[in-house]
Amino acid sequence: MSKTTTTSQFRMVGQLESFVIKKGDKIKYLRLKVEEREYWLKIPKKLRSEIDINLFPGTWLEITGNRELKQKKGFFELEASRVKLLSNPDIPCAVIVSEPESTSVGKILVCQKSSCWKRGGQSVCQRLEKELEKQGLSDRIKIKLTGCLKQCKKGPNVVVMPHKARYSQIKPGEVGELLTKHFTP
């Protein structure tokens, strides 16, 4: 199986919350507050020596780097490539992300075997397509018809990836809630 990664550039302006330090004095992560949200940014070895560990919480920083989608875990990992100290506290908080060409973040597997299909799998699949389009997720989430998911008597069966969440006896009316639960921030 091939491993595909989705990466893009980011730029953040926010306030330092703290450092996450491992093995005595090695900065592994930097916690940054941007508006009301906190981000953990991985600090690579080559950048660790350039960061002043004595910075106070609340210090304004501008950080640029790469973000990578961790397909199996279903979240983005942020890695800093540059950390810049800002002296002007009037700078508004901002997160600017340059999106990659492909922003696929998930798949929904739908059993197409006769038992699941007869129990409403086809209706669930059609509703999934409509809801993905309606919620603007059709370019990020793909529907894949699969073979037996080993829960024939509990069909129709659906698996949401990358979360590996399994759903049995799903009804077309539950599709919108399922998409919101897994793919809406």
Side-chain angles (χ1 to χ4, degrees):
M1 182 184 283
S2 65
K3 182 180 177 185
T4 59
T5 58
T6 305
T7 60
S8 60
Q9 300 290 310
F10 74 87
R11 178 182 160 269
M12 291 183 163
V13 176
Q15 292 179 290
L16 174 68
E17 285 284 309
S18 69
F19 295 108
V20 177
I21 299 173
K22 304 278 179 151
K23 296 183 183 175
D25 63 343
K26 294 180 182 173
I27 300 171
K28 285 292 237 181
Y29 293 92
L30 180 144
R31 293 176 45 223
L32 190 73
K33 183 177 180 182
V34 179
E35 293 179 347
E36 295 301 316
R37 189 165 176 193
E38 181 181 299
Y39 293 90
W40 282 44
L41 298 106
K42 187 174 183 177
I43 306 297
K45 289 179 184 178
K46 64 181 180 182
L47 192 57
R48 290 177 189 163
S49 61
E50 298 175 22
I51 297 176
D52 181 5
I53 199 165
N54 296 316
L55 288 174
F56 291 102
T59 303
W60 286 88
L61 301 173
E62 176 184 29
I63 300 174
T64 54
N66 294 314
R67 78 176 189 165
E68 180 180 334
L69 175 64
K70 297 296 183 182
Q71 291 282 354
K72 287 188 175 183
K73 296 179 182 176
F75 65 85
F76 285 99
E77 180 178 270
L78 303 171
E79 184 172 302
S81 59
R82 194 183 103 218
V83 176
K84 181 180 174 186
L85 181 64
L86 298 175
S87 58
N88 186 355
D90 295 330
I91 296 173
C93 297
V95 177
I96 300 169
V97 176
S98 169
E99 289 294 335
E101 295 292 319
S102 169
T103 57
S104 178
V105 294
K107 278 190 253 186
I108 299 175
L109 310 178
V110 180
C111 179
Q112 68 173 350
K113 290 306 232 181
S114 63
S115 182
C116 281
W117 220 237
K118 287 176 188 173
R119 294 173 195 254
Q122 185 173 11
S123 300
V124 168
C125 192
Q126 290 170 346
R127 184 66 177 260
L128 273 168
E129 289 172 350
K130 288 178 185 176
E131 281 294 319
L132 287 172
E133 192 67 37
K134 179 181 168 185
Q135 295 185 24
L137 298 170
S138 58
D139 60 333
R140 297 176 50 215
I141 299 156
K142 303 299 176 205
I143 299 170
K144 182 175 180 186
L145 300 177
T146 67
C148 186
L149 294 172
K150 309 293 185 212
Q151 296 289 322
C152 300
K153 292 182 181 178
K154 295 181 181 179
N157 294 292
V158 171
V159 178
V160 179
M161 300 296 280
H163 308 105
K164 296 183 183 176
R166 292 178 161 264
Y167 294 92
S168 296
Q169 297 177 334
I170 190 157
K171 305 210 177 347
E174 301 169 329
V175 167
E177 184 181 327
L178 180 123
L179 292 175
T180 301
K181 177 179 179 181
H182 288 282
F183 299 108
T184 304

